[in-house]
Amino acid sequence: MIGQTRWYLETLPLRGEVVCDLGANVGELSEFFVRAGARRVVSVEPLAENVAQLRARIAALGADDRWEVAACAVSDRRGEVLLRRADDEGVVANSAVISAEAPDALRAPCDTLAGLCPDATVVKMDIEGHEYEVLDQALAAMPGVRAWAIELHMTSRPLQGVIQQLAAHGFRVFGAGRAAGDPGGHWLTAEVPPTLSWDALPVAARRADGSVFKMLHVVARR
């Protein structure tokens, strides 16, 4: 995560900002935002185990005056969503919104970004493919957001579509990558062309069912 936090320091306004961390997990990035001088941080996380760790971090840092937790999911509406939880050797890693009932599905309350943090000026979003529904609703509803830090996941949504959507709302979009031959090196910044497609990006992983996983870290800022 060192590469990611360093990149955020280089590309995001943080000091004095109201940062909403969507998909906060156990709070490593939320704590980074607090330490980087954010005026207020709202960590949005639906899994109870992760929420407990978030609250422990807040207490350990003595930051309850400017760091709070919303124990729910974010979506394009207020109500309830279905989640699939992913565990790694018994440690809760993350969860993803799913569209249909499944034997391992969890139900969680949800709200919109505007409902959770109406005064957000910076939004970090890592919500496993549900980011597009949130953006569709929030871009127009949240004109005060000056910067988005998003982990875009390959779904049926064309990548160029979301890049152009952000541009239409006045944002320039920058992607993170590493130099060829230096997979563990510093994250580099390049402006994302509006025609960039998922086909142009390398495969990040192959799933057990044979499908491929691709993602792109972007910062969109005015």
Side-chain angles (χ1 to χ4, degrees):
M1 190 170 289
I2 292 174
Q4 186 173 3
T5 55
R6 181 175 172 182
W7 190 61
Y8 283 169
L9 281 174
E10 293 174 352
T11 56
L12 286 175
L14 292 174
R15 183 163 297 277
E17 303 291 335
V18 177
V19 181
C20 192
D21 185 356
L22 304 178
N25 201 262
V26 298
E28 291 181 76
L29 281 173
S30 291
E31 182 172 338
F32 159 74
F33 295 137
V34 172
R35 292 183 182 275
R39 176 163 56 90
R40 185 162 65 92
V41 174
V42 179
S43 300
V44 180
E45 171 58 43
L47 295 181
E49 299 93 327
N50 290 353
V51 168
Q53 292 194 54
L54 276 160
R55 289 178 172 151
R57 281 179 183 269
I58 294 171
L61 196 61
D64 57 350
D65 59 333
R66 59 191 186 101
W67 183 3
E68 61 190 82
V69 179
C72 65
V74 64
S75 193
D76 56 355
R77 67 192 188 282
R78 186 175 188 180
E80 189 177 71
V81 291
L82 293 172
L83 299 176
R84 176 177 292 117
R85 193 171 98 171
D87 292 351
D88 183 8
E89 297 182 357
V91 178
V92 175
N94 55 35
S95 60
V97 173
I98 56 176
S99 58
E101 288 279 3
D104 58 349
L106 302 173
R107 293 186 179 274
C110 67
D111 203 346
T112 64
L113 175 58
L116 292 165
C117 189
D119 57 342
T121 58
V122 175
V123 178
K124 168 259 167 181
M125 183 158 47
D126 181 3
I127 53 174
E128 306 298 326
H130 199 56
E131 59 270 15
Y132 305 107
E133 286 81 357
V134 173
L135 281 172
D136 287 347
Q137 192 277 332
L139 276 170
M142 298 286 291
V145 176
R146 302 200 298 127
W148 299 82
I150 314 169
E151 186 174 297
L152 296 172
H153 296 77
M154 186 175 72
T155 66
S156 58
R157 182 76 64 101
L159 178 58
Q160 57 268 44
V162 71
I163 302 303
Q164 292 166 19
Q165 181 183 24
L166 288 161
H169 283 83
F171 293 95
R172 294 176 66 189
V173 183
F174 301 88
R178 290 188 171 101
D182 189 15
H186 179 55
W187 287 28
L188 306 176
T189 303
E191 190 156 5
V192 178
T195 56
L196 184 69
S197 69
W198 288 116
D199 290 341
L201 297 182
V203 173
R206 292 189 180 275
R207 300 185 178 95
D209 63 3
S211 62
V212 299
F213 170 70
K214 295 184 179 184
M215 67 178 184
L216 178 65
H217 281 93
V218 299
V219 161
R221 64 185 188 220
R222 288 194 170 102

